[in-house]
Amino acid sequence: MLKKLKLRKTLKKQHYGLVGKHSGVQICRWTKNSLRDEGDCYKAKFYGIKSYGCCQMSPSVGFCQNRCLHCWRAIELTIGNKMNVKDSDDPKEIIKGCIEQQIRLINGFKGNKKINLKKFEEAQEPMQFAISLTGEPTIYPRLGELIQEVRKQGKTSFVVTNGVLPERLKQLQKQKALPTQLYLSMNASNEKLFNKWHRSQTKEAWKKFNESLELFPKLKTRKVVRMTLVKGENSNMNEEMVSDYAELIKKANPDFIEVKGYMSVGFARNRDGMGYDSMPTYEDIKDYSKKIAKELKKEGYKILDEHEFSRVVLVGKDKKMMKIKENQR
């Protein structure tokens, strides 16, 4: 209970809007930038998402099986690895509460002379739910219902998972409740690095992660493998790792691969070997992306786009697939 109270106090200080027992919202810097016409995030550039209309939220604040080295969240204040259905909030109430908190948090921007008022008015009804803010979303037992409700409201949803609960991905498929775009985080090329990097509290986490990789091609939605790369003491982007990453990616056969640089921010910068010198440059990321694409050339992958400020490169098979269409919501 004390840890939960400390977590909530910490999150409020970080300007989170808390919803119910285990959900929350935080305004992304790119939402703020977009409202001021000062640029959009890479998801807008790659996939056509409107940054100013994106609700960055989580239905599992404080819940995760992993304790990842690179995580900027307060993983030291993790309160659990599981959540019971009877103790979880209603999906409709979570969505309603998240929209209310989103509106409350952006309303302070209205007085800013730089604000684009047309965007500000549209942002009162966020049309994209980025279910990835903090915690592992698949732990929330009613995730399928939440995604279905987002879809009913004509909105898009992106879900980022660590892949440790492959059975939940199967459940989403069975419920016909897969998100508009599903991300699988891949930050290690082998089991030894995976265990060091993720420090998972789940038994056989590497095995479960690989089950998710093998399940990925069967999931009928847009799919992305996201790689967060670090250099230095805890490097996961050495030359010899490229071929191993490629083999894992072949299992998943995603539509896209986001190769992204680690940023030493939040709680991550206080961990050993995760300081500013661990941040790859944009040139580092582009070079590693080229190596990944070259290794996967026979599978049809190539570099499709890039967002220099965010230090991210998009690898995929077809540039025409990038933008989300109406029938993919």
Side-chain angles (χ1 to χ4, degrees), residues 36 52 101 227 297 309:
R36 295 188 295 253
Y52 63 86
Q101 287 294 331
M227 301 170 66
K297 188 176 180 180
F309 190 91

Side-chain angles (χ1 to χ4, degrees), residues 157-169:
S157 60
F158 284 13
V159 170
V160 181
T161 180
N162 58 28
V164 177
L165 280 175
E167 60 272 22
R168 190 55 54 82
L169 300 182

Side-chain angles (χ1 to χ4, degrees), residues 78-242:
T78 300
I79 55 177
N81 302 330
K82 296 178 181 178
M83 192 186 298
N84 296 320
V85 174
K86 66 177 184 178
D87 295 328
S88 61
D89 292 335
D90 180 80
K92 288 184 180 179
E93 291 302 312
I94 291 174
I95 294 169
K96 180 184 175 187
C98 284
I99 292 174
E100 288 172 351
Q101 287 294 331
Q102 177 91 348
I103 292 169
R104 180 184 70 80
L105 291 167
I106 67 170
N107 270 348
F109 288 80
K110 194 173 183 180
N112 190 315
K113 292 180 180 179
K114 294 182 179 180
I115 286 295
N116 180 319
L117 290 177
K118 185 175 183 295
K119 285 184 177 180
F120 181 81
E121 290 304 319
E122 284 188 36
Q124 301 300 303
E125 184 63 46
M127 295 305 292
Q128 154 69 4
F129 269 61
I131 307 173
S132 60
L133 173 61
T134 182
E136 168 54 37
T138 60
I139 287 178
Y140 173 53
R142 300 180 68 180
L143 180 62
E145 294 174 61
L146 188 145
I147 293 168
Q148 286 172 333
E149 183 59 29
V150 168
R151 187 181 296 134
K152 281 179 191 175
Q153 295 185 22
K155 307 175 193 296
T156 52
S157 60
F158 284 13
V159 170
V160 181
T161 180
N162 58 28
V164 177
L165 280 175
E167 60 272 22
R168 190 55 54 82
L169 300 182
K170 290 177 184 175
Q171 184 184 39
L172 293 178
Q173 173 92 312
K174 189 175 180 180
Q175 289 177 296
K176 296 184 179 179
L178 286 165
T180 309
Q181 188 153 291
L182 179 65
Y183 284 79
L184 182 59
S185 295
M186 181 186 291
N187 308 307
S189 57
N190 57 59
E191 184 174 7
K192 183 178 179 181
L193 186 62
F194 182 93
N195 291 334
K196 174 189 175 182
W197 187 268
H198 295 291
R199 301 182 295 177
S200 186
Q201 309 300 297
T202 297
K203 291 181 180 178
E204 299 186 314
W206 173 250
K207 181 182 176 184
K208 290 179 180 293
F209 174 74
N210 275 272
E211 284 178 22
S212 291
L213 287 178
E214 289 164 4
L215 179 64
F216 228 49
K218 302 169 189 173
L219 301 177
K220 296 176 182 178
T221 190
R222 293 166 57 95
K223 298 175 287 287
V224 183
V225 162
R226 174 186 285 172
M227 301 170 66
T228 300
L229 300 181
V230 174
K231 65 179 185 179
E233 181 184 333
N234 292 312
S235 179
N236 63 346
M237 57 182 298
N238 297 336
E239 183 91 29
E240 64 270 17
M241 296 175 183
V242 173

